[in-house]
Amino acid sequence: MTGKDVHFFAVQSNSAEVEAMRSGRLHVAGFSTGPTPFAVNLAGAVPFALMGGDDGRFGYTLQLYTRVDSGIDKIEDLKGKRVAHTSPTSNSGNLAPRALLPGQGIVPEQDYEVVYSGSHDQSILGVVAGDYDAAPVASEVVERMVQRDLYDPNEVKIIYESKPFPTTSFNYAYNLKPELIEKIKEAFFTFDMKGTALGEEFKGVSKFVPVTYQKDWDVIREIQAANGVKYTPDNLK
């Protein structure tokens, strides 16, 4: 669509991806929910699309999981427990529970021990294995793990679920030529996921839908502000 060669590469961390765009080595990228504001503020990323359904809806929720036999039936039961958060900058895996759970009567670190697992996958698998008493994770990640038969969903239960958050943002670098930006958008918004490997991987989504950072990341910025997050390189992990 752009008439240019496209080279894909996987980065090793959120900070590496942001730095690649900041330095001009990365021009189109997907940033997960929590790191998106860092990419915007540090690298000039411009979120323009998310994966969504035919009706234009998109999003995922924070789900708080525990084993069915854990004896934990409500959020208050987490007091004194060992709970897996994913990583410091993760939205649903760390920042959202720190901002939202106090309103539900439980304060992370104060009421329960926080242990960083490294990823949503490791958090839920750790709960299943009994390594953690509970874990807040992104619903979309858990859904894909179930589809791959990575764990038995009958072994766990949800004791809390948030309102929806935006999913991974697709961004272009702010300083690309306007005509190239329009071609990038056209490539995304005319792409039909049905019957593709992407459509098979992400059930319930069929196309890319337009978004804006100002409107659709408002709830994320609110959560990060509640956690005292500052958009600096040192805070991006």
Side-chain angles (χ1 to χ4, degrees):
M1 192 70 74
T2 62
K4 296 181 178 295
D5 290 335
V6 178
H7 300 277
F8 170 81
F9 67 95
V11 294
Q12 300 303 310
S13 66
N14 293 325
S15 57
E17 186 175 19
V18 170
E19 173 56 24
M21 182 166 280
R22 188 201 66 77
S23 63
R25 293 180 289 114
L26 180 63
H27 309 106
V28 180
F31 290 100
S32 57
T33 306
T36 290
F38 285 86
V40 171
N41 285 277
L42 298 176
V46 181
F48 69 94
L50 294 179
M51 291 189 291
D54 286 332
D55 56 5
R57 288 190 296 178
F58 57 82
Y60 71 99
T61 61
L62 176 167
Q63 295 176 330
L64 188 52
Y65 278 87
T66 185
R67 283 186 59 88
V68 294
D69 58 1
S70 67
I72 299 171
D73 299 311
K74 55 186 183 299
I75 287 184
E76 290 86 349
D77 295 336
L78 293 177
K79 289 188 177 180
K81 302 297 184 181
R82 193 165 182 263
V83 180
H85 287 205
T86 57
S87 62
T89 59
S90 173
N91 178 63
S92 55
N94 183 53
L95 298 177
R98 288 181 184 274
L100 300 177
L101 293 188
Q104 303 296 319
I106 202 85
V107 180
E109 304 246 49
Q110 178 178 310
D111 293 323
Y112 66 69
E113 179 188 359
V114 172
V115 182
Y116 288 114
S117 68
S119 71
H120 295 272
D121 300 54
Q122 292 302 319
S123 284
I124 195 68
L125 292 176
V127 169
V128 172
D131 297 332
Y132 312 118
D133 295 305
V137 293
S139 60
E140 61 174 356
V141 176
V142 177
E143 290 164 5
R144 293 201 300 276
M145 291 178 69
V146 171
Q147 292 164 12
R148 294 171 177 168
D149 294 322
L150 295 180
Y151 77 96
D152 182 355
N154 294 317
E155 294 185 17
V156 296
K157 62 184 177 182
I158 299 172
I159 59 172
Y160 170 78
E161 186 167 17
S162 73
K163 294 179 180 179
F165 305 125
T167 53
T168 293
S169 64
F170 292 90
N171 304 253
Y172 56 79
Y174 78 98
N175 55 357
L176 299 183
K177 291 183 178 181
E179 55 269 29
L180 178 56
I181 290 173
E182 289 308 308
K183 286 295 184 181
I184 291 170
K185 288 182 177 180
E186 185 179 356
F188 274 78
F189 295 137
T190 60
F191 181 70
D192 185 358
M193 295 184 194
K194 294 175 183 175
T196 68
L198 190 62
E200 287 298 312
E201 175 75 10
F202 295 90
K203 301 294 185 182
V205 301
S206 57
K207 63 181 181 180
F208 290 97
V209 298
V211 294
T212 66
Y213 177 69
Q214 181 179 10
K215 173 178 176 289
D216 297 300
W217 259 260
D218 179 59
V219 62
I220 304 304
R221 295 195 302 274
E222 182 180 346
I223 288 171
Q224 293 179 337
N227 282 279
V229 172
K230 304 295 183 186
Y231 301 126
T232 66
D234 290 339
N235 288 333
L236 180 60
K237 298 178 182 179

